[in-house]
Amino acid sequence: MDPLIEAFGLTKAFPVSRTWRQMLRAERPRLKAVDGIDLTIRRGDSIGLVGESGSGKTTVGRLLLKLTSITSGQLTYRGDHLDRMKGARLRGFRQQAQLVFQNPFDALNPRFNIRRIVAEPLVNLGVPRAEHETRTADSLRLVGLAEPQRYLDRLPHQLSGGQLQRIVLARALVVGPEFLVADEPVSMLDVSVRAGILNLMRDLKERLSLTSFTISHDLTLVRYICSRTLVMYLGRIIEQGPTEEIIARPAHPYTKALIAAVPRPDVDQPRDALPISGAIGSAATPPSGCRLRHRCPYAFARCASEEPPLIEVAPGHTAACHLHIA
Amino acid sequence: MGTLLEVKGLSVSYRRGGVAVRAVDAVDLDVPAGAMLGLVGESGCGKSTLARALMGVLPGNASIDGGRVALDGEDLTELTPAKRRQRLWRELSFVPQTSMNALDPVYRLRDQMREVLCERGGLPTKAADERAVALFRSVGLDPVRLTDFPHQFSGGMRQRAAIAMALALNPKLVIADEPVTALDVIVQRQVLDTIRRLGRDLGLSAIIVTHDISVVTYLCGLTAVMYAGRIVEQGTTEALTRRPTHPYTMGLMNASPDLHEPVETLVPIEGAPPDLADPPKGCRFAPRCPLALAACRESDPPPVVVEPGHSAACFRAAEAGALREAARKASTWTR
Ligand SMILES: Nc1ncnc2c1ncn2[C@@H]1O[C@H](COP(=O)(O)OP(=O)(O)OP(=O)(O)O)[C@@H](O)[C@H]1O
Ligand SMILES: Nc1ncnc2c1ncn2[C@@H]1O[C@H](COP(=O)(O)OP(=O)(O)OP(=O)(O)O)[C@@H](O)[C@H]1O
Ligand code: SF4
Ligand SMILES: [Mg+2]
Ligand SMILES: [Mg+2]
């Protein structure tokens, strides 16, 4: 199938504040939050992006939705370059691609009622007023709020966290998008409510044949929604493959750490020690060679001198680690 | 080992626009010396209110309506507020829900440590600085960073600094409110390992407040489950997670995903906890409970001991074995 989205060498750099010494030497340090990633998203794919805080996940999501500009590299949507998209094409894209925010409490204007909040994207896209009421109500039903009239006149603070997250979803879905980016869609919710939202997202993906891109630091959640997963570390994709395969046979030491770190409800499960140590550090000063090497228990000389490329470790499963190259 | 903290019949209300909201209702809880107790429940169930009441740091519109809180046999609720404050840090200390609240943004960490160690603990400056270095090391922070301001720390580092501060005066009991909720899985695990090590090496007694059962199973030997202001089940973490007896606990277990189990459709608990300004009659979980009987909506179920050290406040506690079977089925929970 044709790719919906393709990226080559996608890079986003932010300026960072300079020290006096750097100013004197006219150095302009930059932080590459996303550093040369390649990506193919086909229609109907459900892709997960996992990694620690600061690894660059949100920045990737914002790039995919053209909410921030590309520093270098290429990004296409149905073959059109996103950075050159304008006019009717851009309006079409704004309808087709939607974002589900991380925190429902921040994402919604506290003074607007639910009717106005959910209809807002329709207003922005110039959809005729007459259609708003039905489309808003349909969207609420779609996310499992069976009696829309009960919610439309309420304010955000009059709803529970789970209901609010459904509103955030309804708002993203009201314009009938084909591509959905969800940034930590359930991290602010109670476990009891999370389950409902994860089930809903799974179900919507099927029913609406959505293409989805879900961001989270927790593989446990990504697994419910995504058939393929990308693992990100300091601006780079370091492993990718089918989600279940990555969980069962992680190839990169970092992915192993993400899996070992996940808390589990069972009391006497085997508790693997965390295989990596220390903290992620800043993308402004990434280490030479493999970016994980200071934290990796397996690092050897080559890890400091050469950056490992992504190579295939199993069909459709790639990892960037020298242990798999030898 | 004896009981370190004994809570009996503790009730706390907030005044909100003329109505009283009973956020903690007749809570009984024991923490033995050297134990870690996990306090779990959904948002709004009163966990933070209970934690703050134990510490004696409730906001102005809250009042203690009854009950006692005894630390090593001494009733803290009878102390004057001034006396009570003296106990803070030295006997009981607190890691609040947002660690940023524990740290003052305009002071360097060293100065904040000195404030606790010198002013509260009476140490001379030099000894305080030495102790601060040791404390930073014990929570896995580089003592060089003591001269930093909180904003120079990552979320995980701030959380560790807040824990170091809570440990400063060797308190008998530490209460940590959602110590890892805002952190990514790796940093979360590092902080949990730090707390675990302190438990093992220093015999630290602690109450860990969390909405995540997986945090409790990793850290705590004992668990208390809170729902709508009440403790609905308590016991060893092992007994409680293997043989959950209150349907709410069963529901929480069902809704908690396990990365190493096959993906199944997760079972949510439909609905939301009640408004505490107007709680339902009878068992407070009844409106959401798929196993409720008519009697459950009539009167409050008292706690029943189901095995030594394990109790649950449910009329159907005696049938728990059969109910667990039913509760495992998704169809039981969907209406
Ligand atoms: N607007 C910005 N200006 C400067 N730096 C930025 C900006 N946005 C992000 N960064 C930096 O880029 C890096 C990646 O940030 P990003 O928010 O994409 O990470 P993330 O993986 O989403 O983290 P989290 O899990 O904490 O949300 C971080 O070092 C961050 O500080
Ligand atoms: N200062 C306050 N004034 C009035 N009501 C309050 C106040 N603080 C909390 N409440 C109410 O008391 C109840 C219990 O709140 P509490 O913060 O103890 O819950 P919690 O279990 O800690 O929830 P969370 O998991 O969201 O932190 C809630 O209904 C809340 O709205
Ligand atoms: S390349 Fe080297 S340092 Fe990087 S993850 Fe593999 S073994 Fe570790
Ligand atoms: Mg992010
Ligand atoms: Mg709380």
Side-chain angles (χ1 to χ4, degrees), chain B residues 42-49 97 177-178 209:
Chain B
E42 278 163 292
S43 185
C45 282
K47 307 181 297 295
S48 296
T49 307
Q97 189 155 356
D177 196 355
E178 305 276 7
V209 176

Side-chain angles (χ1 to χ4, degrees), chain A residues 24 43 49 65 90 121 131 136 159 162 168 170 178 188 209 220 247 253 264 266 268:
Chain A
L24 290 175
R43 278 153 154 284
L49 179 64
L65 290 175
L90 181 57
E131 291 178 30
T136 306
L159 297 181
V168 172
E178 63 176 356
M188 297 299 290
S209 50
T220 322
I247 292 169
R264 301 178 54 192
D266 192 351
D268 59 2

